[in-house]
Every structure is written in C-alpha cells, then in structure tokens.
Amino acid sequence: MTTATGSDASRAALLSAFACYTLWGVMPLLFMGQAAVGFDAFEILAHRALWAVAVAGLLVWLAKQGGQVRAVLTSPKTLAWLAFSTVLIGLNWGVYVWATTHGATLEASLGYYINPLLNMVVGLWLFREKIDRWGWIAIGLAAVGVMFQALALGRPPWISIVLAISFATYGVIRKRVPIDAQAGLLVECLLLVPFGLAWVLWLQHTGAGVAFDSPVNTVWALANGPATVLPLALFAWSARRLPLSTIGFIQFLAPTLQFAVGVWAGEALTPLRILSFVFIWGGAAVFAAAAWFRVRAARQALKSAAEPA
C-alpha cells in the first residue's frame, strides 16, 4: 500500500511539473495578445501582481491552509525568506514580460534552456546531487551555446542570464522554505499586491492605463491572475517532491514551446543564432538521454531485486 501510494504521489508530481512547463511555454502568447491591444510591459506586470492574489487566496482556501499563511506572517525568518523569493519572482516576471512584448522571446527561451543545466550545478553545490560526465558535457555544450548567442546579439544575453539565475535561485528557496506551495505562493502575492495596485491606480489616474477601456481589455487583464498562479502553484508543489535534476529534465518543455512561439512571431534567426541554439539543443539532448538511461537502469535494478532468487 505504501509503495502504491508513493508511486501515485510521484506520478502526480510529474504530471504537475509537465502541466506547469506547458503553461509557461505558451504564456508569451498571452502577453503578446495584451501588447497588441495596448498594454505595455509594466501594466501587464502590475495586473499579474494584482489579480494573482485573488486566485492564490482561493487555492489556499480550498486547501484549508489559512493557518499556514498566518503562521508565516508571524514568523520573521520564514517571512524574510519568502520576501527574498518574492523579489526574485518579481524580477523574473518583469524581465520575461518585457522580453516577450519586445521581440525577445527567443532570447528568453534561451534562459529557460540554461536553467535546467544551472539547476544541476546548484544541486551539486547545495544538495550534493551528483553530476556524471554526461551532465558536464551537457553543461559545456550549453556554455558554448551561450557564447555564440552573445556573438550573435553583439552583447551578453542578459535577458537569458537574468531569467536563468533568478528562477534557479527561486526554485532553491521554495524547496527549502517549510511551507506548502499554495500558502507560500499567497504570501508572495500578498507582498507583491501593494506595488501592483499602486501602479494600476496611477495608470488610471493619469489616463495611461488600457485595462478598463473595454470589456475585452478587462478580460485580458483578469486573465493574468490564473495564468500567473496556476503554473507557479504546480511548480512549487512539484519542486518540493521531485529532485532538482528531474525538474531540470522536464523544464526543457517550456523553452521549446517558447522558441516555437518566437519563431511563429517572426523574430530573427540569423545563422550564428541558429548555431547557438544547436549547441543548446545538443546539451539538452545529452541531458535528456542521460536522464532517460538513468531511469531505465534504476527500473531494471528494481525489477531484478524483486525477482525471486
């Protein structure tokens, strides 16, 4: 019974991780749609902060985790860690929204290709997770890809670097903070909502906001709530139940979808830029193949151990 329950929990965590990265992969379409009707990046970011708190609160109420939220709000140490994670996720949101509304979705996707490989390094450093030779080869290929991307852009790929580092660090903090996914996410949203509310009120006061110009625009603004909270809740829930190496493997789904969206949107793909992604994809392929062989070997070992002598 315990084994079956553990298997079901692992399957649920994997499905949650796949769902969250699929949602993140197609999210540029949401921000591009808002930009097309007049939203700028800062107004989108403000509505993400404003409406996310309502959805996060609903999840906490459904999970009956209000007590955890109250406990965090009265625990300075835990609150400080979540304040740090809030800064990181706010930075990540801001850079990502700006990138996807300014023709830099391909560069953003590069950041999320780097992130899984960065997670391996973080796992080695903080959690003593081992990296085999194939892992180092994958990291090396990704490093070469970043170098070629810098040459193609004529500058370091700052968007990619900031997105990768901010989200990898966010993942580490959320893995270590002793609070369930929904409750921690609500605290983060509560810390962000004053800034979002202040900016929305300022935009309305100055007449620069477009969110309430029409019912369609209002729907676009409100959509930021579930679009922001649901994948984050799924990520935080799965990250506490899966090794960072597993999370890193599944995460390749999101940048692949983001890359496809960037190409569909007509962003430039120069030969040098294509070469940079070839190296990145090579690193991802090595990483994925090594992970698959490890899983297959582990299953075979379990099967052999279960067979009668």
Side-chain angles (χ1 to χ4, degrees), residues 115-131 136 139 168 171-172 175-176 243-246:
N115 196 18
L117 304 174
L118 184 59
N119 279 340
M120 285 200 299
V121 177
V122 173
L124 172 68
W125 179 38
L126 293 180
F127 302 110
R128 301 187 181 276
E129 297 180 2
K130 295 181 179 180
I131 301 179
W136 287 115
I139 292 170
V172 169
K175 190 176 180 69
R176 306 195 92 173
L244 278 178
S245 54
T246 302

Side-chain angles (χ1 to χ4, degrees), residues 136-182:
W136 287 115
I137 290 172
I139 292 170
L141 288 170
V144 174
V146 171
M147 180 189 69
F148 278 117
Q149 185 78 187
L151 292 173
L153 294 171
R155 57 171 174 79
W158 294 116
I159 291 173
S160 307
I161 293 169
V162 171
L163 289 176
I165 293 176
S166 62
F167 199 67
T169 310
Y170 175 79
V172 169
I173 292 173
R174 288 309 306 268
K175 190 176 180 69
R176 306 195 92 173
V177 173
I179 184 172
D180 284 336
Q182 295 92 333

Side-chain angles (χ1 to χ4, degrees), residues 90-113:
L91 172 65
N92 186 273
W93 289 359
V95 172
Y96 187 65
V97 170
W98 188 92
T100 57
T101 56
H102 285 77
T105 304
L106 292 178
E107 188 176 347
S109 75
L110 177 66
Y112 289 112
Y113 274 118

Side-chain angles (χ1 to χ4, degrees), residues 1-302:
M1 183 67 70
T2 302
T3 302
T5 302
S7 177
D8 290 342
S10 297
R11 188 178 297 109
L14 285 170
L15 290 174
S16 294
F18 274 110
C20 84
Y21 287 118
T22 299
L23 291 171
W24 272 324
V26 300
M27 196 172 288
L29 296 173
L30 173 66
F31 303 140
M32 290 176 182
Q34 292 178 73
V37 296
F39 286 80
D40 66 16
F42 292 105
E43 186 170 9
I44 295 171
L45 184 61
H47 282 283
R48 291 192 77 176
L50 185 59
W51 302 114
V53 73
V55 182
L58 176 62
L59 291 179
V60 167
W61 178 75
L62 291 173
K64 298 180 180 179
Q65 294 176 348
Q68 288 192 41
V69 175
R70 289 190 293 271
V72 169
L73 294 177
T74 57
S75 172
K77 182 178 179 180
T78 304
L79 188 59
W81 277 111
L82 285 177
F84 184 29
S85 70
T86 301
V87 171
L88 291 169
I89 202 61
L91 172 65
N92 186 273
W93 289 359
V95 172
Y96 187 65
V97 170
W98 188 92
T100 57
T101 56
H102 285 77
T105 304
L106 292 178
E107 188 176 347
S109 75
L110 177 66
Y112 289 112
Y113 274 118
I114 298 170
N115 196 18
L117 304 174
L118 184 59
N119 279 340
M120 285 200 299
V121 177
V122 173
L124 172 68
W125 179 38
L126 293 180
F127 302 110
R128 301 187 181 276
E129 297 180 2
K130 295 181 179 180
I131 301 179
D132 58 19
R133 63 175 178 174
W134 297 110
W136 287 115
I137 290 172
I139 292 170
L141 288 170
V144 174
V146 171
M147 180 189 69
F148 278 117
Q149 185 78 187
L151 292 173
L153 294 171
R155 57 171 174 79
W158 294 116
I159 291 173
S160 307
I161 293 169
V162 171
L163 289 176
I165 293 176
S166 62
F167 199 67
T169 310
Y170 175 79
V172 169
I173 292 173
R174 288 309 306 268
K175 190 176 180 69
R176 306 195 92 173
V177 173
I179 184 172
D180 284 336
Q182 295 92 333
L185 182 57
L186 176 57
V187 173
E188 291 171 339
C189 291
L190 288 171
L191 293 172
L192 282 173
V193 75
F195 301 98
L197 179 60
W199 189 252
V200 169
L201 291 175
W202 172 255
L203 290 175
Q204 292 307 118
H205 175 71
T206 59
V210 301
F212 305 109
D213 288 352
S214 70
V216 172
N217 283 15
T218 302
V219 170
W220 276 116
L222 293 175
N224 285 294
T228 296
V229 171
L230 293 181
L232 266 175
L234 290 168
F235 169 78
W237 190 86
S238 59
R240 288 177 59 84
R241 292 161 174 82
L242 295 173
L244 278 178
S245 54
T246 302
I247 288 288
F249 168 63
I250 300 171
Q251 189 172 348
F252 287 122
L253 176 62
T256 300
L257 293 172
Q258 293 162 6
F259 181 88
V261 171
V263 173
W264 170 82
E267 294 183 18
L269 265 179
T270 63
L272 194 56
R273 204 167 192 189
I274 292 172
L275 182 61
S276 77
F277 276 102
V278 167
F279 276 95
I280 292 292
W281 291 331
V286 170
F287 181 96
W292 184 79
F293 281 116
R294 283 196 300 271
V295 170
R296 191 177 71 167
R299 288 179 177 174
Q300 185 60 42
L302 286 173

